[in-house]
């Protein structure tokens, strides 16, 4: 792989751009992180697709999405935000599946850097709905930080 990508990596370095290696069905996220690091170049970093990671978590027992972020750390430069039920690569709007978004964004908030966040969904006509879901999570999170811990709502 290094021989195949040698010229591509050199060109990326000379142009000041980054190549990112994305997860597909990674059971062990450390493998992709190690692969990116093995190039020894700041031009080769890591990408995370939330739907791919959640699918691997549910279907193969891979770590949950937030663990991918924690393990990648500052090598994480690009995140495809999409939701799924964990049974296929759905590319649903955030909030339509079962990804635990608060945990994912808590992990992202701990990073010193700020990876690019891209909504990667099938239905472009409802893109604003997915973005609004993430914005609402952010507002609730910030409010919770100001107000301190809250009790969960009572269940009937």
């Amino acid at each position: 792989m290094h021989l195949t990508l040698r010229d591509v990596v050199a060109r990326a370095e000379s142009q000041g751009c980054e190549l990112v290696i994305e997860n597909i069905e990674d059971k062990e996220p450390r493998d992709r992180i190690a692969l990116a690091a093995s190039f020894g170049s700041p031009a080769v970093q890591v990408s995370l697709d939330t739907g791919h990671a959640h699918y691997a978590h549910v279907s193969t027992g891979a770590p949950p999405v937030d663990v991918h972020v924690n393990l990648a750390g500052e090598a994480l430069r690009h995140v495809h935000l999409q939701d799924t039920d964990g049974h296929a690569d759905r590319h649903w709007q955030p909030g339509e599946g079962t990804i635990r978004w608060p945990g994912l964004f808590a992990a992202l908030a701990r990073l010193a850097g700020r990876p690019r966040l891209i909504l990667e969904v099938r239905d472009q006509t409802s893109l604003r709905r997915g973005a609004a879901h993430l914005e609402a999570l952010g507002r609730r999170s910030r409010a919770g930080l100001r107000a301190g811990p809250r009790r969960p709502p009572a269940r009937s």
Side-chain angles (χ1 to χ4, degrees), residues 14-65:
S14 73
Q15 298 295 313
C17 70
E18 291 178 331
L19 306 170
V20 291
I21 301 174
E22 180 176 327
N23 61 309
I24 301 296
E25 293 181 14
D26 298 18
K27 290 183 182 179
E28 177 48 74
R30 289 177 187 90
D31 294 340
R32 181 175 37 91
I33 296 160
L35 175 61
S38 74
F39 283 89
S41 171
V44 182
Q45 300 294 329
V46 174
S47 176
L48 171 66
D49 184 301
T50 58
H52 296 173
H54 190 58
Y55 169 69
H57 172 61
V58 172
S59 66
T60 71
V65 180

Side-chain angles (χ1 to χ4, degrees), residues 66-130:
D66 60 319
V67 172
H68 286 253
V69 173
N70 292 332
L71 291 171
E74 300 310 314
L76 182 62
R77 295 297 215 284
H78 187 95
V79 180
H80 288 163
L81 300 170
Q82 59 134 324
D83 214 337
T84 182
D85 57 3
H87 299 289
D89 186 19
R90 308 279 191 202
H91 289 265
W92 288 341
Q93 299 294 334
E96 293 179 349
T98 57
I99 290 178
R100 294 181 182 139
W101 294 102
L104 170 66
F105 280 98
L108 288 167
R110 288 190 292 273
L111 299 177
R114 295 289 174 242
R116 289 174 293 283
L117 305 178
I118 309 296
L119 280 169
E120 185 185 53
V121 296
R122 289 196 199 289
D123 181 7
Q124 299 294 308
T125 62
S126 60
L127 195 60
R128 290 190 187 276
R129 186 177 70 238

